[in-house]
Amino acid sequence: MTTHNELPSMRESLLDIAGKKIFVAETGDGPPVLLLHGGGPGASGVANYSRNIAALAKEYRVIVPDLPGYGRSTKGVDGADPFGCLADGIRGVLDQLGLDKAHFVGNSYGGACALRLALDTPDRVDRMVLMGPGGIGTTRALPTPGLSNLLNFYSGDGPSRPKLEKFIRDYLVFNAADVPDSVIDARYQDSIDPEVVADPPLRRPSGPNALRTVLKMDFTRDKRLSRLPVPTLVLWGAADKVNRPSGGPMLADRMPNCDLYMVANTGHWVQFERAQLFNRLCADFLAGRR
């Protein structure tokens, strides 16, 4: 079993996309797969997939960007259309790497990015794995306690390590003891980057067009979803406190080629909490073995 500190050496590059930089790390050979991380404070690509990269790289060319607004990528996300902004940036990564299409794996905010990219340009997406993706039924219920906690990180008395630890241990995962202090320390340091504090990449829509933005950010209101041909595997932690597990059946009901796997005793971070299961399901699904 690969533990979270057995990462392979990775090639790193800073790609120029429409005047902004997107950081990318990659390793392995084979069909390309992009791993898109979630949107919590201090999130970044390699850290979010630390328990998965080595396993997937045995069979795939694993490409791990920092989403726009995060990590070593240029800060700032278009608040009027966050998912579209992320999708445009990641489509630019495909262009820069000379890839006509690739597999996509997306957790939370990264899942919303992958889904939006697939809806806008389905020919660029081969197969897709979504873990507790954002934007599923979000206008049909009040925000979850986990999402509210996440959105409040930079407000009130501002960011703090105790705030981040509470979010990760109480809301992100099912078993708080599964997350080492070192993971929280590293994420906290990234979360207080002055550029991020000044312009957080994940925030509540506001302003005169807020309602339009909110509606656009709920994929269950997008008529294209029921026509999306991309073979998709949805993995959802049954104890997810950030994005409601009911989103899984919503996607399976609407998407024509969607497999759904509900993961027991697991929170929002399936790829971290249940790494062995995730790595096996993901590798097999992307290869068309299931």
Side-chain angles (χ1 to χ4, degrees), residues 140-217:
R140 302 176 191 276
L142 292 171
T144 62
L147 186 59
S148 294
N149 186 275
L150 171 60
L151 291 168
N152 290 334
F153 182 73
Y154 289 102
S155 60
D157 51 2
S160 68
R161 192 187 181 286
K163 258 179 149 174
L164 186 62
E165 180 162 27
K166 180 177 177 59
F167 168 67
I168 289 175
R169 296 203 190 282
D170 293 0
Y171 294 107
L172 189 67
V173 296
F174 179 77
N175 177 15
D178 192 33
V179 183
D181 283 340
S182 59
V183 168
I184 295 169
D185 290 338
R187 283 192 62 155
Y188 178 61
Q189 285 307 313
D190 287 344
S191 77
I192 54 173
D193 177 320
E195 283 188 84
V196 177
V197 176
D199 192 4
L202 184 61
R203 56 173 72 187
R204 287 185 179 88
S206 60
N209 294 317
L211 182 59
R212 184 186 304 167
T213 299
V214 167
L215 290 170
K216 189 187 285 188
M217 290 177 75

Side-chain angles (χ1 to χ4, degrees), residues 1 48 51-52 107 168-169 171-179 236-242 263-278:
M1 177 182 168
N48 265 214
R51 296 181 175 182
N52 320 113
N107 176 225
I168 289 175
R169 296 203 190 282
Y171 294 107
L172 189 67
V173 296
F174 179 77
N175 177 15
D178 192 33
V179 183
W236 216 301
D240 191 333
K241 295 178 185 173
V242 178
V263 190
N265 303 318
T266 303
H268 189 52
W269 230 10
V270 176
Q271 81 279 13
F272 187 89
E273 298 176 70
R274 300 291 296 278
Q276 280 185 299
L277 173 72
F278 170 83

